[in-house]
Amino acid sequence: MWETIGKSVFKDQRTLSFDYVPQKLVHRESQMKRLIMLYRPVVESNFAQNAVLTGSVGTGKTATAKRFCMDLKDFAEKQQKAVDWVLVNCRQRNSESSVVLHVVNHFQPNFPDRGFSITEMLRILRKDLEKRKVHLLIVLDEADVLLRKAGSDIIYKLTRFGEEKVESKELVSLMLISQKNVYDMLDTASASTFKRTNIIEFGKYSTDELRDIVKLRAELALHDGCIDLDSVDLIAEVSSEWGDARFAIEILEKAGMLADEEIAGRISVEHVRAAKAEAYSSVTESKLAGLDKHQKLALLGIARTSKGKAYVTTGEAEGAYKVACEEYDEKPRAHTAYWGLLKDLDTLGVISAKKSGPGISGKTTVITLLDIPARVLDERIRAMLQGKQRAR
Ligand SMILES: Nc1ncnc2c1ncn2[C@@H]1O[C@H](COP(=O)(O)OP(=O)(O)OP(=O)(O)O)[C@@H](O)[C@H]1O
Ligand SMILES: [Mg+2]
């Protein structure tokens, strides 16, 4: 069997995985420079610093933050200063205590995950930092999820925590990453420690920028000459709709795997097209997996009313949402909260909510499903909702 599989186009497929952080992030030089400017006083003058990174999906926020943190640590080491960093994914850890626990675990991997209050854990963290004489940069990735679930109290605690100096040295800096503008989600006390000027924006990548990113990642991952230039162009083209580098890299990897399956030896545009068709469904799948119950129910309502139609009105969609809530024994959210759910789904890119549309008179908001057929979506969400109920 093994002798028939042919030579792979990949020389190092690992470099296409999501947690691989390239040495250099092309077209993120200005963001990187601003990060360096903002955080250099941490190393040079023992100051704490805070910043917010925002931008839409796949614009390199997490990757840039990780690259920056690694470089910052190296830079500090060269100056005989101890700076360390820890990244917390707040989608996976969306309560105050699990965030703080993850940070404590950075120094004490076996710290018990129960039985300590947040105040106690912060005291333990302080001791660890003082003992090691280290300044810690805490990166809260997808911070909006935490702020929505748990409020901004933790931000306040962590920024104030940094202010109590030890030998005129501040201990903790923060970096918040989010697709949404988290600044407006902070209470006034925490917002006052975050300067508005410390917001670093990550714009969507243009087709040209995506082409450079794909080229770079292809060089790392593929043997020489294993991808046609046309294929690189096409990947940039199809992912430029969202300006999303993650989507581009995912297509590159899938196309490579399809080329290997055919023992083609190189990635052609046909492999890219096939990969795009497959990737659509998996991108949607990962978006759906991140939804909470009421977001799912709202989407289920939209899917049910959208069958065969380009647009539905919010009135129709909300009616169907209420029916879906009844089916799943949930109390429907009030009208204004329902609008919040629509906004979430819109931000996530599963629907688009816009004022009016063709064939609908007056100024009403209409909803369009983006890249998944209504019937397929209906089935997927029901399966997810039932799966969840069984688990409880
Ligand atoms: N400029 C770049 N050069 C090379 N690779 C990049 C670049 N920007 C992003 N990538 C890659 O694209 C993928 C997505 O980037 P990243 O995870 O940083 O996006 P993000 O902005 O954090 O998205 P999300 O909001 O969905 O979390 C990663 O695999 C990352 O390595
Ligand atoms: Mg990210």
Side-chain angles (χ1 to χ4, degrees):
M1 191 68 192
W2 283 89
E3 60 280 4
T4 62
I5 57 176
K7 188 168 178 286
S8 174
V9 296
F10 295 110
K11 70 175 175 209
D12 190 358
Q13 197 171 344
R14 195 181 43 96
T15 58
L16 296 177
S17 80
F18 293 145
D19 48 9
Y20 175 81
V21 184
Q23 271 301 324
K24 190 177 166 303
L25 289 134
V26 278
H27 302 298
R28 286 302 176 226
E29 292 82 6
S30 70
Q31 286 83 353
M32 198 56 114
K33 203 165 187 178
R34 284 214 55 210
L35 283 169
I36 293 172
M37 286 315 180
L38 286 176
Y39 285 95
R40 82 190 271 183
V42 168
V43 178
E44 293 178 344
S45 325
N46 298 325
F47 279 173
Q49 182 61 286
N50 305 310
V52 175
L53 275 52
T54 73
S56 66
V57 54
T59 51
K61 299 178 297 296
T62 305
T64 304
K66 283 187 182 165
R67 182 75 264 156
F68 170 74
C69 287
M70 294 177 196
D71 293 354
L72 177 76
K73 192 175 172 180
D74 285 351
F75 174 73
E77 241 162 53
K78 287 197 185 106
Q79 325 239 335
Q80 271 96 45
K81 299 272 175 67
V83 175
D84 204 349
W85 63 281
V86 55
L87 183 139
V88 189
N89 183 314
C90 302
R91 191 175 295 283
Q92 287 152 13
R93 299 168 173 274
N94 56 27
S95 73
E96 276 190 25
S97 60
S98 64
V99 167
V100 177
L101 177 66
H102 184 75
V103 177
V104 170
N105 277 155
H106 182 70
F107 296 109
Q108 301 189 41
N110 299 321
F111 192 81
D113 57 1
R114 254 159 231 279
F116 286 88
S117 71
I118 292 168
T119 319
E120 283 165 333
M121 286 195 282
L122 287 174
R123 197 176 305 132
I124 289 161
L125 176 63
R126 169 180 294 282
K127 281 210 179 111
D128 276 332
L129 297 175
E130 285 170 0
K131 192 169 74 194
R132 293 177 163 80
K133 294 193 173 31
V134 64
H135 184 101
L136 186 66
L137 172 53
I138 301 176
V139 184
L140 300 179
D141 199 359
E142 316 216 26
D144 55 303
V145 182
L146 174 71
L147 293 173
R148 205 171 43 227
K149 291 249 162 75
S152 60
D153 201 38
I154 185 67
I155 308 292
Y156 180 78
K157 281 178 192 144
L158 289 173
T159 47
R160 290 301 129 106
F161 179 90
E163 273 177 4
E164 289 172 36
K165 299 176 193 177
V166 177
E167 297 165 13
S168 78
K169 191 175 153 76
E170 291 178 316
L171 295 174
V172 165
S173 284
L174 278 186
M175 187 188 291
L176 306 187
I177 305 180
S178 168
Q179 289 179 8
K180 296 179 194 145
N181 178 3
V182 276
Y183 195 87
D184 295 338
M185 296 168 85
L186 300 176
D187 61 55
T188 33
S190 336
S192 69
T193 51
F194 270 82
K195 298 190 201 89
R196 255 187 205 278
T197 45
N198 288 5
I199 297 180
I200 303 180
E201 306 228 4
F202 286 66
K204 290 186 176 173
Y205 289 119
S206 67
T207 313
D208 287 343
E209 289 172 339
L210 287 165
R211 187 183 298 116
D212 290 339
I213 293 171
V214 172
K215 252 193 219 153
L216 183 122
R217 301 296 284 258
E219 274 166 25
L220 290 170
L222 306 178
H223 288 292
D224 280 350
C226 282
I227 185 163
D228 297 340
L229 265 186
D230 283 352
S231 303
V232 174
D233 285 347
L234 188 59
I235 296 175
E237 190 79 34
V238 298
S239 42
S240 66
E241 195 180 329
W242 301 278
D244 176 349
R246 181 178 302 121
F247 190 69
I249 292 168
E250 193 175 312
I251 295 185
L252 174 62
E253 182 172 23
K254 281 230 169 81
M257 287 158 74
L258 291 170
D260 276 0
E261 263 172 42
E262 289 179 8
I263 323 182
R266 59 192 292 137
I267 300 173
S268 74
V269 287
E270 286 306 319
H271 298 127
V272 175
R273 291 201 181 103
K276 184 198 168 189
E278 259 185 52
Y280 259 120
S281 58
S282 85
V283 165
T284 313
E285 199 68 17
S286 67
K287 281 180 191 164
L288 297 184
L291 299 179
D292 70 24
K293 193 153 193 187
H294 278 269
Q295 291 168 333
K296 282 193 187 118
L297 289 165
L299 191 54
L300 183 59
I302 295 165
R304 286 175 171 177
T305 41
S306 292
K307 283 176 196 166
K309 284 194 252 173
Y311 295 91
V312 295
T313 65
T314 44
E316 293 171 305
E318 189 172 3
Y321 160 70
K322 286 182 181 157
V323 174
C325 285
E326 210 166 284
E327 257 171 63
Y328 288 92
D329 286 330
E330 285 284 322
K331 194 168 168 283
R333 299 265 161 88
H335 186 64
T336 33
Y338 177 73
W339 274 90
L341 296 174
L342 290 184
K343 226 174 135 211
D344 294 344
L345 295 173
D346 183 276
T347 312
L348 210 69
V350 270
I351 65 161
S352 151
K354 284 201 196 89
K355 285 253 179 291
S356 257
I360 294 168
S361 61
K363 269 224 159 96
T364 169
T365 298
V366 291
I367 303 168
T368 315
L369 274 184
L370 293 176
D371 42 37
I372 181 164
R375 192 179 316 126
V376 179
L377 187 59
D378 182 348
E379 273 168 27
R380 278 305 301 137
I381 300 177
R382 273 187 297 131
M384 282 175 157
L385 285 166
Q386 277 149 14
K388 264 235 163 91
Q389 280 185 338
R390 268 202 299 274
R392 265 201 265 136

